[in-house]
Amino acid sequence: MRFTLNGAPAEVDAHPMKRLLDVLREECGLTGTKEGCGEGECGACTVLIDGEPVVSCLIPFAQARETEVVTIEGLGGEHPYQRAFAEFSGAQCGICTPGMILAAVALGPAPTLEEVRTGLAGNLCRCTGYEAIYRAIHSVSE
Ligand code: FES
Ligand code: FES
């Protein structure tokens, strides 16, 4: 099945009902996308499909056909949000971090603090207490 993965054409032979999360990790070797709950509740597995954040543990691979998928690897490691998470201690264990960052990317270039809080409401973190995460993301738009 063909799709665009992190800006490059991709063709992956996997069962259409396999979870997109597993296809990315196992077939594509992109282990930056994390599994938390596996039930669509925590947001750890968030990736972007055509710019929209989706929980890849609930998405069958078939839904990625002819779309543009972006994982945390697609940000290249030097994205301002990635740097801000390091600077503001927005990541501790790191399980939630890729999903948080991609959910933030979907908010657009300069989200307000309120937009950050609302936009990341579906992304759970067990470590940080959230304030460091919100500060990290908001710092980029200040
Ligand atoms: S692992 Fe997908 S939402 Fe929790
Ligand atoms: S940093 Fe550990 S779950 Fe968020």
Side-chain angles (χ1 to χ4, degrees):
M1 199 174 80
R2 290 188 189 159
F3 61 114
T4 302
L5 181 56
N6 293 334
E11 185 160 2
V12 175
D13 186 17
H15 193 284
M17 291 309 291
K18 189 166 179 167
R19 302 184 307 171
L20 178 59
L21 170 64
D22 296 327
V23 171
L24 292 170
R25 291 179 57 88
E26 296 167 9
E27 317 286 339
C28 305
L30 298 175
T31 55
T33 305
K34 304 302 185 208
E35 177 162 12
C37 64
E39 297 178 347
E41 300 289 342
C42 75
C45 64
T46 299
V47 300
L48 303 182
I49 293 186
D50 292 337
E52 294 295 324
V54 299
V55 281
S56 61
C57 68
L58 293 188
I59 301 278
F61 181 43
Q63 282 190 21
R65 184 191 304 271
E66 307 294 344
T67 69
E68 292 195 26
V69 177
V70 174
T71 70
I72 193 69
E73 289 88 348
L75 300 189
E78 294 297 323
H79 187 282
Y81 286 155
Q82 291 174 301
R83 286 202 296 266
F85 266 63
E87 185 181 339
F88 287 81
S89 302
Q92 290 184 25
C93 82
I95 293 290
C96 73
T97 309
M100 289 281 185
I101 290 177
L102 287 170
V105 167
L107 296 176
T112 64
L113 193 51
E114 203 45 46
E115 287 169 336
V116 172
R117 287 179 194 276
T118 305
L120 271 60
N123 291 73
L124 306 184
C125 176
R126 290 191 300 181
C127 307
T128 65
Y130 296 99
E131 290 306 318
I133 291 171
Y134 298 150
R135 272 202 306 277
I137 293 166
H138 186 54
S139 73
V140 174
S141 60
E142 284 177 318

